Amino acid sequence: KQEVTQIPAALSVPEGENLVLNCSFTDSAIYNLQWFRQDPGKGLTSLLLIQSSQREQTSGRLNASLDKSSGRSTLYIAASQPGDSATYLCAVRAGGGADGLTFGKGTHLIIQP
Amino acid sequence: NAGVTQTPKFQVLKTGQSMTLQCAQDMNHNSMYWYRQDPGMGLRLIYYSASEGTTDKGEVPNGYNVSRLNKREFSLRLESAAPSQTSVYFCASSEFPGLAGGRETQYFGPGTRLLVL
C-alpha cells in the first residue's frame, strides 16, 4: 500500500526566506506527483504536477523536483511572502488506472510578515 | 466555467439519518472522485468513477454509496450517518489520459462540511 509522508508537519519562517518542503512515498511505481495548496476552510488548488518521467517543474517562485527511484519530492518556495501561508499537500497517483490520489498529511506553513 | 461544484456547503445530521452529497463538474472530465479529509489523517479516497457508468471503491468505502448519474454528476450517499462520518468531503474530477500519456491534474470542489451528532 502506498504511503506518503510530508516533513515537516508545520513550519514558520520570516518573510523573504527560501524554503523547502519535503515529500516521500513508499512505492516508486507512480504515474505522477502533484503538489496542492489548501487555504483554511477551502478546497485544494493544484500548484505543480510532475509526470513520472520528469525531474522537475517550475511555476513562478515555485519549483518541484521528483526523484522517483528514491521516492522523494521537494517543493522549493523562493522569496516567501505572507500570502504563501497555507497548508501544502503532496499527492501521488499510482501507475496504470484512473484510480485516485494518495495524499500526505500536509505541511502547515506560516510566513511571518 | 464553474469547475467542480458541491452542495450543500455545510450539513448537520443526527445519527441514523441519511443524506446525499451532490457534485457536478463542467469540464467534460471522464473521471470523478470523492475524498474525505479528517484532522491528522489527510485526504482519503472513498469512491471513484473512472468513466460514466463505472464506480469503484477507494480506501475507505464502508458506510457510503455512490452514483455516477451522468458524465457531469457524481453523488455520495450516507444511508445511516454515524459520528465517525463527521468530516469534510471533497469531490474532484480529472481527465485521465490513459495509455496515451500526457498530463492529468485533479480539480477539487470547495468541500462539504458534515457534522453527525
Side-chain angles (χ1 to χ4, degrees), chain A residues 56-92:
Chain A
E56 66 176 346
Q57 282 288 320
T58 298
S59 176
R61 294 182 294 108
L62 304 179
N63 176 277
S65 68
L66 174 64
D67 184 342
K68 201 173 80 159
S69 61
S70 67
R72 296 184 182 188
S73 176
T74 61
L75 179 67
Y76 176 82
I77 302 177
S80 59
Q81 302 171 356
D84 295 330
S85 297
T87 296
Y88 290 81
L89 298 163
C90 169
V92 299

Side-chain angles (χ1 to χ4, degrees), chain A residues 34 38 41 49 51 93 101, chain B residues 33 35 37 40 102 104-105 113:
Chain A
Q34 205 163 343
Q38 186 176 29
L49 180 146
Q51 294 291 105
R93 172 186 277 293
L101 301 176
Chain B
Y33 310 84
Y35 296 89
Q37 185 176 35
E104 176 259 352
T105 300
R113 284 152 184 76

Side-chain angles (χ1 to χ4, degrees), chain B residues 16 21 25 31 35 53 61 70 80 84 89-90 94 103 107 110 112:
Chain B
L21 281 64
Q25 52 92 8
S31 303
Y35 296 89
N70 48 55
S80 180
S84 62
Y89 291 86
F90 288 100
S94 69
R103 300 176 60 80
Y107 296 88
T112 293

Side-chain angles (χ1 to χ4, degrees), chain A residues 18-83:
Chain A
N18 303 323
L19 55 99
V20 174
L21 308 181
N22 296 292
C23 172
S24 62
F25 46 94
T26 54
D27 186 347
S28 62
I30 63 169
Y31 183 81
N32 60 39
L33 182 145
Q34 205 163 343
W35 282 93
F36 292 88
R37 170 186 172 136
Q38 186 176 29
D39 293 287
K42 304 290 186 183
L44 281 68
T45 301
S46 179
L47 297 173
L48 290 165
L49 180 146
I50 310 178
Q51 294 291 105
S52 61
S53 58
Q54 297 175 321
R55 297 284 293 182
E56 66 176 346
Q57 282 288 320
T58 298
S59 176
R61 294 182 294 108
L62 304 179
N63 176 277
S65 68
L66 174 64
D67 184 342
K68 201 173 80 159
S69 61
S70 67
R72 296 184 182 188
S73 176
T74 61
L75 179 67
Y76 176 82
I77 302 177
S80 59
Q81 302 171 356

